[in-house]
Amino acid sequence: MNAPRPRIGLALGSGSARGWSHIGVIRILEEAGIVPDIICGTSIGALVGAVYADGQLEKFEAWVRSLTWQGVVGLLDFTITGGLIHGEKLFSFLRSHLDDKTIDALTRPYGAVATELATGREVWLREGSVIDAVRASAALPGLFTPVRRESRLLVDGALVNPVPVSLCRAMGADVVIAVDLNSELIGRHFKPDETPAAAPEAAPSGALASVLSRLPLGFGGARGGASETPGLPSIFDVLSMSLNIMQVRITRSRLAGEPADVLIRPRLADFALMDYHRASIAIDEGERAARRALPELREMLGQETRPSP
């Protein structure tokens, strides 16, 4: 008798704009007949995972590919309470384009990771509104405002669990395929002998600063733009690089203690925090990364892997 097929979990990691690469990863897995039974995500991974679990990935991909930088800025509603961006405008838009279902109404088991702001505890979101769960999981501190869920304030799950392998296993996955968006980040964005102006188009000094410079913050040079000191990064470069360091260290620590069975790592070190308008590049790299992992996946799952019924 043939052994039963293992239950496959897909853990989609955090990484802001790099997260569009999850779409490419999913496409290649499906083409190979590797269809997850359980989907978990953190931050941007929670968003893409929810869309996939709802059967709306094709529609969503068309939308993200159409995003321009002006369109991204148009979805942001600025505030100075709890963060720079409230997020209501963005998630109202998502509600109007995607079905606002409850998690238990999705076609496959789904979970998202958030962090309780008051205690630092990891919170697993497995019931209630899908959009509300995604919003909590993606509430990057300082950028998006925290989300109140019952009596708790929740922020980005990447603070505690950037690649939610543990949640996949807790939900019954026998084999976990994880997508880590935080490799190769440290040291790739800014070099001491470069000025921020020499950085590529994707750098926060050109993208994130373009948004934040619209606010009367009074940081740095021209209302928060590039550094006034030649050879030093701007405040936004420093913040972005600091986030990168934190994400890389937390990700390595969690994956060392809770390893995935197969780890897919798209190479997107040149993507900045707010480069959501570069979706096509990220999706293409997600496809390349998934193809690189296919031999290992096929060996683990067997050559006769077929889609789930």
Side-chain angles (χ1 to χ4, degrees), residues 16-284:
S16 299
R18 297 186 299 278
W20 294 153
S21 63
H22 289 317
I23 297 171
V25 170
I26 291 168
R27 289 295 184 209
I28 296 304
L29 292 179
E30 287 204 325
E31 286 178 12
I34 302 169
V35 180
D37 303 286
I38 297 162
I39 302 164
C40 299
T42 298
S43 198
I44 188 70
L47 172 58
V48 177
V51 172
Y52 182 39
D54 194 29
Q56 301 282 342
L57 192 64
E58 184 173 349
K59 175 182 176 182
F60 186 71
E61 180 178 352
W63 174 65
V64 302
R65 284 184 182 273
S66 72
L67 283 174
T68 63
W69 175 240
Q70 292 76 16
V72 173
V73 173
L75 289 172
L76 306 180
D77 44 358
F78 296 112
T79 179
I80 57 172
T81 304
L84 291 174
I85 300 168
H86 189 269
E88 190 57 42
K89 193 173 182 180
L90 171 63
F91 284 97
S92 292
F93 178 86
L94 289 174
R95 280 190 177 94
S96 69
H97 283 72
L98 301 169
D99 296 333
D100 186 14
K101 295 180 178 177
T102 57
I103 290 174
D104 59 6
L106 296 174
T107 58
R108 271 173 279 192
Y110 167 82
V113 177
T115 304
E116 186 176 9
L117 185 60
T119 65
R121 292 191 183 112
E122 182 175 340
V123 178
W124 291 351
L125 304 174
R126 297 184 53 190
E127 59 184 18
S129 165
V130 173
I131 291 291
D132 289 347
V134 170
R135 183 171 177 178
S137 183
L140 182 64
L143 188 61
F144 285 96
T145 57
V147 173
R148 186 173 295 280
R149 188 177 175 97
E150 297 173 350
S151 61
R152 299 182 291 189
L153 281 177
L154 302 180
V155 293
D156 199 326
L159 294 176
V160 291
N161 195 353
V163 185
V165 173
S166 56
L167 179 52
C168 277
R169 296 207 190 278
M171 292 175 63
D174 301 307
V175 172
V176 177
I177 303 166
V179 185
D180 171 19
L181 304 178
N182 297 318
S183 63
E184 300 186 355
L185 290 184
I186 296 178
R188 292 291 299 274
H189 175 69
F190 177 81
K191 297 178 182 178
D193 58 346
E194 292 178 349
T195 63
E201 173 203 0
S205 53
L208 181 57
S210 175
V211 176
L212 301 184
S213 64
R214 298 168 183 260
L215 300 176
L217 299 177
F219 293 146
R223 297 176 66 186
S227 169
E228 293 180 343
T229 306
L232 290 180
S234 71
I235 187 173
F236 305 118
D237 288 302
V238 172
L239 289 172
S240 180
M241 287 185 285
S242 298
L243 285 172
N244 287 346
I245 292 169
M246 178 187 73
Q247 286 292 282
V248 169
R249 296 302 183 190
I250 297 172
T251 301
R252 289 176 182 172
S253 177
R254 289 301 298 253
L255 289 176
E258 300 157 351
D261 296 286
V262 176
L263 190 59
I264 299 174
R265 284 178 159 154
R267 296 166 181 167
L268 294 165
D270 66 331
F271 262 61
L273 192 68
M274 297 292 289
D275 279 352
Y276 293 102
H277 59 298
R278 303 175 67 202
S280 293
I281 297 171
I283 292 170
D284 289 348

